[in-house]
Amino acid sequence: MAESAQDTDWRSWQESWDRQQEWYMPDREERFRVMLDMVEAVVGPAPRVLDLACGTGSITDRLLRRFPDATSTGVDLDPALLAIARGTFEGDDRVTFVTADLKDPAWTERLPHSSYDAVLTATALHWLHSEPLAELYGRVGQLVRDGGVFMNADHMIDTETPRINAAERAHRHALMDRARAGGALDWADWWALAAKDPALAEPTAERYRIYGEHADGDMPSPQWHAAVLRAAGFGEARTVWSSPSDTLMLALK
């Protein structure tokens, strides 16, 4: 496996992950652009960043392309996605990756720094139910320095608008079906390919032992996120970008 890993085109794997994610979220790059706009606006162009639930390092990739003087710590538990991230950024001393379970109260002890200018995450924390997510926000509140920022771009559902929600979901899935007919890979397709790759087969099998199949958490409303972040020690919290289905929530310490 080590020899295969050396020969693996990790950048291509990261790009294929991005394409798969874009099937679900065609506006994915727009949320990243706004996220980095707000990083620059609040903490400047050379931030120390924690890429929370980093996956393949999609946020870190865009961060360093835009801000070459930034540094990033990526933290995740998924061995397959971390293999891609580590392979993609191998030799870049601006980047560190940490294996940790965000539901473990001690996960912050594994980090190389005790505070960060910005903690960023996208399309990951909806895996958590409300109670562990609130606990995670409490720990994030302790990691962000005074004047620093936390941003979460994710599925956030307003339960007070069920008809709007249903119409949006039906339209979005119709577009996804058309893209799928045109050859787009979905989540299951992508993981099936990873399971067959010599360098990713073992970490993919391990990630299924850890997580099982994909399972969503509660996906509470933007109002819930803002209130819980304020309770976690942030002075301000509000939406800074949204699509019909997703929200980029910004919290300022």
Side-chain angles (χ1 to χ4, degrees), residues 52-180:
L52 191 69
C54 65
T56 64
S58 295
I59 290 175
T60 292
D61 179 54
R62 287 147 183 83
L63 172 78
L64 297 181
R65 290 186 190 198
R66 179 160 168 178
F67 306 126
D69 294 328
T71 59
S72 179
T73 302
V75 59
D76 207 303
L77 185 61
D78 190 309
L81 299 185
L82 279 173
I84 294 170
R86 289 186 168 110
T88 298
F89 295 97
E90 185 176 7
D92 191 333
D93 60 9
R94 297 172 297 175
V95 185
T96 304
F97 290 103
V98 174
T99 300
D101 184 349
L102 297 181
K103 291 186 286 188
D104 177 357
W107 69 269
T108 58
E109 297 173 9
R110 295 173 174 260
L111 301 176
H113 306 291
S114 59
S115 70
Y116 289 85
D117 301 311
V119 178
L120 309 176
T121 188
T123 329
L125 301 188
H126 64 274
W127 280 51
L128 297 175
H129 289 281
S130 298
E131 185 175 342
L133 180 55
E135 292 173 358
L136 177 64
Y137 278 176
R139 296 184 187 101
V140 169
Q142 295 173 2
L143 284 172
V144 176
R145 67 163 173 82
D146 287 346
V149 66
F150 168 71
M151 279 182 272
N152 178 17
D154 210 345
H155 314 313
M156 299 183 190
I157 297 175
D158 190 334
T159 57
E160 296 181 0
T161 59
R163 290 185 296 160
I164 296 173
N165 298 348
E168 181 281 322
R169 187 179 189 279
H171 181 259
R172 175 163 42 91
H173 279 262
L175 294 177
M176 290 166 64
D177 288 344
R178 288 203 286 272
R180 186 95 159 83

Side-chain angles (χ1 to χ4, degrees), residues 143-235:
L143 284 172
V144 176
R145 67 163 173 82
D146 287 346
V149 66
F150 168 71
M151 279 182 272
N152 178 17
D154 210 345
H155 314 313
M156 299 183 190
I157 297 175
D158 190 334
T159 57
E160 296 181 0
T161 59
R163 290 185 296 160
I164 296 173
N165 298 348
E168 181 281 322
R169 187 179 189 279
H171 181 259
R172 175 163 42 91
H173 279 262
L175 294 177
M176 290 166 64
D177 288 344
R178 288 203 286 272
R180 186 95 159 83
L185 294 179
D186 69 4
W187 172 272
D189 293 333
W190 191 91
W191 281 108
L193 289 176
K196 295 176 182 176
D197 185 270
L200 286 173
E202 185 177 320
T204 296
E206 177 62 19
R207 70 93 50 202
Y208 276 102
R209 286 193 288 270
I210 293 170
Y211 293 110
E213 294 297 327
H214 188 285
D216 286 327
D218 299 330
M219 288 185 280
S221 70
Q223 294 83 0
W224 181 94
H225 285 269
V228 173
L229 285 163
R230 291 189 190 101
F234 290 92

